[in-house]
Amino acid sequence: MAFDIERFATKSERVQWKDLSFDDFREKPLPPHTLRSLRYMCDVEYHTVCYLRDLLVTPAHEDEDVNTFFTIWNREEFWHGEALAEVLGWHGITVNFDALKAKRLKVGWKDRLDPVKQSVLGNVIGADFIATHMIWGAINEWSASAAYTRLADLEGHPALAELLRRIARQEARHVAFYATQARKRLEASKKARVVARFALRKAWAPVGSGVMPEDEVVHVMTHLFSGPDGMAEIRRIDEHVGRMPGLDGLTIVEDAMRARGVAA
Amino acid sequence: MSGSHPRSPMLAMGGGPTTSSSIPFDVRAFAHGATGSHRDELGLAEYQTRALPPDTLRNLQHLRHLESATMRYLRQVLVTPTHKDARITAFLTTWAFEKYWMADGLAAILEHHGWSPNSTQAQTPAPPADRWRRLQDRFAPIGRSLVDNAVGDDIIAVHMAVGAIDEWIMHAAYRRVAELDDHPRLRRTVATFVEIKTRHLEFFEAEARERLAGSQRARRLTRSRLPRASWPPHARRRPGSADAGFFGHLFAATPVVVNQLDRQIRTLPGLESLALVRATVAASTMPRRSTPTTAGRHRSTPFPYRSDT
Ligand SMILES: [Fe+2]
Ligand SMILES: [Fe+2]
């Protein structure tokens, strides 16, 4: 299944919410634990540009179609951040660029070395390391899609649920790009498969960990994925990963949940 | 943005004040007003009655190539502390989006004329001798990252100045291309693009002025980092690049424009001694590779600066 990059770019629009009755939040505000999760998701969306950075230091940036995707994807994610900021705004929670900046500054040291490490690895192993970035991206997008769908189900608020489903639909298109790229690149190279398997087992962590405090990661994962239905979603992500060339049998997402005390 | 909901107005995202204007650039409003695809407004049918000549089409190829360089710019910028400034990254997100669609619009005009959106030079695979340079290019962000992280926030001033200068030069280039072949339809498209790019310039210019005015270190750093010899900077790092010589050739016959641009660039704090566009023209009109007998090839430039940093 090829990913039609031109179609993706042409069809892309910023997620809409003007038609949704957010006024309902006045009568029925969202509970604090949901707002806490939304705040996390909102921040992660705005931080997409930091993931973009890690992708751009690899040789992947030499491909025009890949650059097209990055451009459109990064903008769609920014608007996910804007949409969630709007919901939070109705609850008196202001997300501004200064606060986001403060968070990025706090990440500090580790963050500084990250592009260096990534770039060295990426260039030493060459094009084969792109596959790792692509499967990583696919897992992030599967996770995002699962998270939004879960929250839409958990929180019966109709306007919120509709917004989250709209966002999830865009996440699904992001999945399609990353998964197509990952499959193609993993199929093409044994080295790519070995590196990806190693990197995922060694270093995979839920989207947002590293940027967000661990307490927040645990809160969101527990809120969205504990219980049998939540864990079923998690296992579905692992199954997607397992169907990729060279990645069968990995249970990295479930392992990451268990490590954070998220129980079925 | 609905007026009735409790979030504070857009100004909350507006960031700090700038020196060039009392109204800070509103990044959120900019994102809201972003322009996407131009394909429905290009009036391609009008080129059927009067096609663009090859020279113009070649120029459009260059402009398209330069508009699509956003990820290359981000690659340099995001590995530095600039990526931590959420207001700047929010701007760059929409900036890259708008530039993507301008490049796409230019591609559509080229394709309508049966031309490839890429210049032939850009399509030629790198010769083996260039492989080492490509390898260097791959590693460049690493060294950059280490150095620029040590430099800290002042590096942001460099990136903003590069953005502003590029906008000034690109605006002039668009106008010149439209002027060279007075085609009413192309003129209109160029006017649309220049209007979009004016917002980009507003952001970069305000940021550059404020940051340069506020820090001597930023001024010194920017002075030392800006290329003196040619624009765009990446064309100098990669000789044989499709973009090398484009601006120089384009502006060679219009010294008034060249001086105007240089005067504009020199209004940026700390860049008072720069004659970047004049040097760009000089570099493109000089023979690319002078023979070894031409002593001191770079120093033979009739301008009082060295052509490399
Ligand atoms: Fe998203
Ligand atoms: Fe996504």
Side-chain angles (χ1 to χ4, degrees), chain A residues 23-40:
Chain A
D23 304 52
D24 297 359
F25 291 132
R26 269 197 238 277
E27 302 282 304
K28 283 183 285 173
L30 297 167
H33 67 277
T34 295
L35 292 171
R36 191 174 166 192
S37 292
L38 283 172
R39 180 66 218 251
Y40 179 96

Side-chain angles (χ1 to χ4, degrees), chain A residues 221-222 225-231 235 257-258 260-264:
Chain A
M221 299 306 145
T222 309
F225 297 117
S226 61
D229 293 347
M231 282 312 268
R235 288 195 195 101
M257 293 303 125
R258 291 200 191 287
R260 284 166 182 79
V262 181

